């Protein structure tokens, strides 16, 4: 249903990508968009205008030293923003700010009743921490949405669901002790892949113990393995009755991704989004935000994310 879904695609978001043959290239949004248009999906969602986050908005989640650091690196346009995965480029501050501003715009419009669901393909920077960049992630748009839900909108019980092949450590550890942040993360086992975290025994700390469900998958896992894990995920989420759902739908869990070793098909994305949409309608007044996350094979990016959008507009 067209009026219900906001789609954030635009030139400024497309600029979030790293130079010199980096796997997180500037071609990822275009790969999705070409496929979405070929399938006529572009006409079935409401295109929304990306916007930059204000400095004050960035500072609600990130430490000032990190925001300043990114701004300086962006001006210099050289070197790395972390230990060597995330290179600086001229304008990286503005591009990363646009991911966050667009995420906050989607949230505001959903909370105002202007839409029910959103999709932002270039977004979902789940490795960034409050004080640092990591793993291609400069600012954490997901954490900014979660914090804004609590602080600006009084919505505490939020579910974060992550099917990107990498563990969403930047979200997990930020809210590890938060009993109202319900989390499900399906990822390739950290013994085989960056960032090395997300073991099944990590379920949250203190009062939050049991609110997080990490579902590590062995290399080579296929759709059947995902669907078995997903049943547990849905059971966990249903039990926790979230009031709002945020999803990171990385395409790097598909077979053929150059950085990882799972062998899922885009049916995983379709089924996951379909069931989260149904769950949102049961417990969260239909409110669901989806971000594209990772994915480094352009064909996979187009295939996975068009399945995401097709389920959101169905
Ligand atoms: Zn990833």
């Amino acid at each position: 249903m067209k009026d219900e879904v906001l789609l954030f695609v635009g030139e400024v978001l497309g600029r979030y990508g790293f130079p010199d043959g980096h796997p997180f290239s500037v071609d990822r949004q275009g790969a999705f968009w070409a496929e979405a248009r070929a399938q006529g999906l572009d006409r079935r969602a409401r295109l929304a205008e990306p916007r930059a986050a204000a400095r004050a908005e960035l500072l609600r989640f990130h430490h000032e030293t990190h925001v300043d650091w990114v701004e300086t690196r962006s001006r210099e346009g050289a070197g790395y923003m972390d230990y060597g995965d995330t290179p600086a480029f001229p304008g990286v501050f503005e591009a990363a700010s646009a991911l966050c501003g667009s995420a906050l715009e989607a949230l505001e419009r959903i909370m105002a009743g202007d839409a029910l669901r959103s999709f932002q393909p270039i977004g979902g920077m789940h490795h960034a921490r409050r004080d640092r960049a990591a793993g291609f992630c400069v600012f954490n748009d997901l954490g900014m949405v979660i914090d804004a839900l609590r602080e600006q909108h009084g919505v505490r019980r939020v579910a974060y669901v992550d099917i990107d092949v990498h563990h969403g450590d930047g979200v997990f550890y930020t809210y590890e002790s938060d009993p109202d942040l319900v989390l499900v993360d399906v990822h390739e086992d950290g013994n085989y892949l960056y960032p090395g975290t997300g073991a099944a025994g990590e379920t949250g700390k203190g009062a939050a113990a049991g609110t997080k469900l990490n579902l590590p998958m062995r290399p080579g896992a296929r759709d059947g393995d995902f669907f078995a894990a997903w049943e547990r995920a849905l059971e966990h989420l249903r039990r926790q009755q979230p009031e709002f759902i945020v999803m990171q739908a990385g395409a790097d869990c598909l077979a053929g991704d150059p950085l990882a070793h799972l062998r899922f098909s885009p049916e995983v994305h379709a089924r996951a989004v379909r069931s989260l949409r149904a769950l949102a309608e049961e417990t969260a007044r239909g409110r669901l935000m989806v971000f594209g996350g990772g994915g480094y094979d352009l064909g996979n990016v187009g295939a996975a994310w068009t399945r995401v959008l097709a389920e959101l507009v169905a």
Side-chain angles (χ1 to χ4, degrees):
M1 281 158 273
K2 182 171 176 173
D3 285 350
E4 295 180 355
V5 183
L6 295 171
L7 175 61
F8 285 81
V9 170
E11 198 263 334
V12 62
L13 295 170
R15 268 187 252 145
Y16 190 94
F18 302 95
D20 304 327
H22 191 285
F24 199 121
S25 72
V26 292
D27 305 329
R28 300 167 72 253
Q29 179 175 259
F32 157 72
W33 194 228
E35 186 59 31
R37 287 171 58 158
Q39 296 181 23
L41 287 166
D42 56 319
R43 295 188 300 274
R44 296 174 58 195
R46 278 157 71 195
L47 267 183
E49 195 64 36
R51 73 160 175 92
R55 184 179 171 86
E57 290 176 316
L58 295 172
L59 291 174
R60 285 197 198 120
F61 181 85
H62 285 292
H63 297 176
E64 190 159 25
T65 48
H66 178 52
V67 174
D68 289 346
W69 165 256
V70 175
E71 218 168 3
T72 306
R73 289 269 88 79
S74 181
R75 254 195 324 268
E76 295 169 356
Y80 282 92
M81 286 179 294
D82 56 6
Y83 37 75
D85 278 342
T86 315
F89 59 89
V92 60
F93 178 82
E94 287 74 16
S97 298
L99 267 56
C100 299
S102 301
L104 292 173
E105 178 75 14
L107 173 63
E108 279 151 23
R109 289 175 65 175
I110 290 172
M111 295 311 290
D114 183 37
L116 274 181
R117 299 178 293 282
S118 66
F119 182 42
Q120 184 180 322
I122 306 301
M125 300 294 111
H126 64 168
H127 298 306
R129 306 293 181 100
R130 291 192 191 272
D131 64 346
R132 63 186 188 274
F136 318 160
C137 301
V138 176
F139 295 136
N140 194 323
D141 46 351
L142 302 157
M144 291 184 66
V145 164
I146 293 166
D147 278 8
L149 273 164
R150 272 79 179 279
E151 289 156 25
Q152 266 79 55
H153 301 287
V155 176
R156 281 220 61 82
R157 201 142 188 87
V158 179
Y160 173 70
V161 182
D162 185 324
I163 65 167
D164 188 284
V165 78
H166 302 95
H167 181 235
D169 56 342
V171 177
F172 182 86
Y173 293 110
T174 297
Y175 302 99
E176 190 178 18
S177 303
D178 182 330
D180 292 317
L181 196 282
V182 179
L183 180 143
V184 167
D185 196 315
V186 185
H187 51 272
E188 183 173 338
D189 189 324
N191 290 308
Y192 304 95
L193 192 69
Y194 176 92
T197 53
E202 294 188 89
T203 68
K205 275 191 172 162
T211 59
K212 322 286 187 255
L213 183 63
N214 278 307
L215 295 164
M217 314 291 290
R218 60 175 171 76
R222 292 175 180 270
D223 286 7
D225 303 299
F226 178 88
F227 295 137
W230 191 247
E231 287 306 310
R232 291 184 56 202
L234 285 177
E235 205 176 290
H236 175 76
L237 291 167
R238 232 178 247 121
R239 210 168 34 236
Q240 307 278 343
Q241 297 278 302
E243 300 170 80
F244 196 105
I245 303 177
V246 178
M247 181 194 195
Q248 204 266 31
D252 43 10
C253 55
L254 295 194
D257 187 89
L259 299 191
H261 320 97
L262 300 187
R263 302 196 47 77
F264 297 162
S265 81
E267 189 55 35
V268 154
H269 291 77
R271 203 188 288 191
V273 173
R274 198 181 312 144
S275 49
L276 289 182
R277 182 178 165 185
L279 180 69
E281 281 159 13
E282 271 171 48
T283 75
R285 302 187 211 166
R287 302 177 297 200
L288 169 64
M289 289 178 73
V290 185
F291 295 87
Y296 307 102
D297 175 280
L298 294 178
N300 282 349
V301 160
W305 292 349
T306 49
R307 296 301 297 274
V308 167
L309 182 56
E311 291 297 333
L312 290 174
V313 300

